[in-house]
Amino acid sequence: VRDVYGEIVNIRFYKLDPSEGRRKIWSVAGHGEPTLYPIDQLEHNKIVICEGEWDALFTIQKGLHAITRTSTADAWDPAWSRLFHGKDVILCHDMDAKGQLANDKMLNQLSGWARSVSVVLLPYSIEVKHGKALSDFWLEGHTGEDFYALVETVERSDEQEKPLIDVADPIPQTIPAADDCLDLGRDDGTGQTRWGLMPCELPATSTVPVVPE
């Protein structure tokens, strides 16, 4: 996973059929800090937050806008929530206990930031571990229309129930180009690595227009 400068910030390995007790996904030492991926998806005002890189990429191939984080289902940096300010967010995690807890956690985290938040339950039973995922839904031949039909069956959080947080520094409606100024993970001078989008002071002309919904 590269940042907007093209530098590698996260390296993920997958073992499709791990032996008992072995991890399916792991990162290279020094390149494992959680970050949002693919970051360019934040250009869109309607976005699916799912669990895992494959789920996100497969969902994008199906014509939807999707993002995940390069970590476990329960990982969420509260600083990321402001990046979804004013957006319509659809949460769709794996159909297991950990995935459903992630839905609940992120519903609370995004409340007041996102314009609306919907939690989608895929048409599978909820397992204790290793429940089916959004990629399973796509592999069965379902379409984007099928997914949005599930969205329409859930109750969205009411944006009037809790007013949006007033952001002192307005969230830009554009995402800077790769050689400009948004930073996914750099030392801020205190020895701490900053993860997430870090807007800098650049002319408005350095940004890439948002693709209309």
Side-chain angles (χ1 to χ4, degrees):
V1 177
R2 298 178 183 271
D3 65 13
V4 291
Y5 299 97
E7 296 180 6
I8 296 174
V9 295
N10 195 295
I11 300 175
R12 305 276 278 171
F13 284 93
Y14 290 79
K15 189 174 181 61
L16 295 179
D17 188 21
S19 56
E20 186 67 27
R22 303 293 295 180
R23 299 185 66 177
K24 184 176 182 178
I25 306 171
W26 69 98
S27 299
V28 171
H31 292 84
E33 290 286 344
T35 189
L36 296 175
Y37 173 82
I39 201 66
D40 63 348
Q41 293 296 294
L42 287 172
E43 296 175 356
H44 306 288
N45 290 326
K46 179 182 286 187
I47 189 167
V48 178
I49 301 179
C50 52
E51 184 178 339
E53 296 92 323
W54 293 126
D55 282 6
L57 293 174
F58 209 160
T59 302
I60 293 168
Q61 286 183 347
K62 287 291 184 175
L64 288 72
H65 308 305
I67 199 167
T68 188
R69 56 271 190 220
T70 57
S71 187
T72 57
D74 54 1
W76 185 260
D77 185 340
W80 294 339
S81 297
R82 79 189 308 268
L83 304 176
F84 297 87
H85 187 266
K87 297 184 185 296
D88 293 311
V89 177
I90 303 167
L91 303 176
C92 187
H93 288 79
D94 292 0
M95 292 297 289
D96 51 38
K98 198 170 186 178
Q100 298 313 299
L101 286 174
N103 279 337
D104 292 340
K105 175 181 178 179
M106 292 175 60
L107 181 63
N108 291 328
Q109 290 278 351
L110 292 167
S111 178
W113 290 106
R115 189 179 77 89
S116 67
V117 185
S118 303
V119 178
V120 169
L121 295 180
L122 297 169
Y124 313 114
S125 60
I126 298 176
E127 308 293 340
V128 176
K129 291 184 178 181
H130 309 305
K132 286 196 171 185
L134 187 50
S135 54
D136 294 303
F137 183 76
W138 300 129
L139 285 170
E140 290 176 0
H142 294 290
T143 65
E145 288 75 15
D146 295 332
F147 180 81
Y148 279 123
L150 294 176
V151 175
E152 292 175 359
T153 66
V154 301
E155 182 177 349
R156 289 154 56 102
S157 63
D158 188 349
E159 56 264 30
Q160 301 303 320
E161 185 175 312
K162 183 175 181 180
L164 290 180
I165 295 170
D166 184 18
V167 181
D169 298 319
I171 303 294
Q173 294 302 306
T174 53
I175 301 297
D179 58 349
D180 289 335
C181 163
L182 286 187
D183 200 343
L184 295 183
R186 290 179 178 268
D187 193 313
D188 62 3
T190 65
Q192 298 295 316
T193 301
R194 306 175 303 170
W195 295 100
L197 288 176
M198 302 295 171
C200 311
E201 296 181 359
L202 283 176
T205 55
S206 67
T207 58
V208 176
V210 171
V211 177
E213 295 292 336

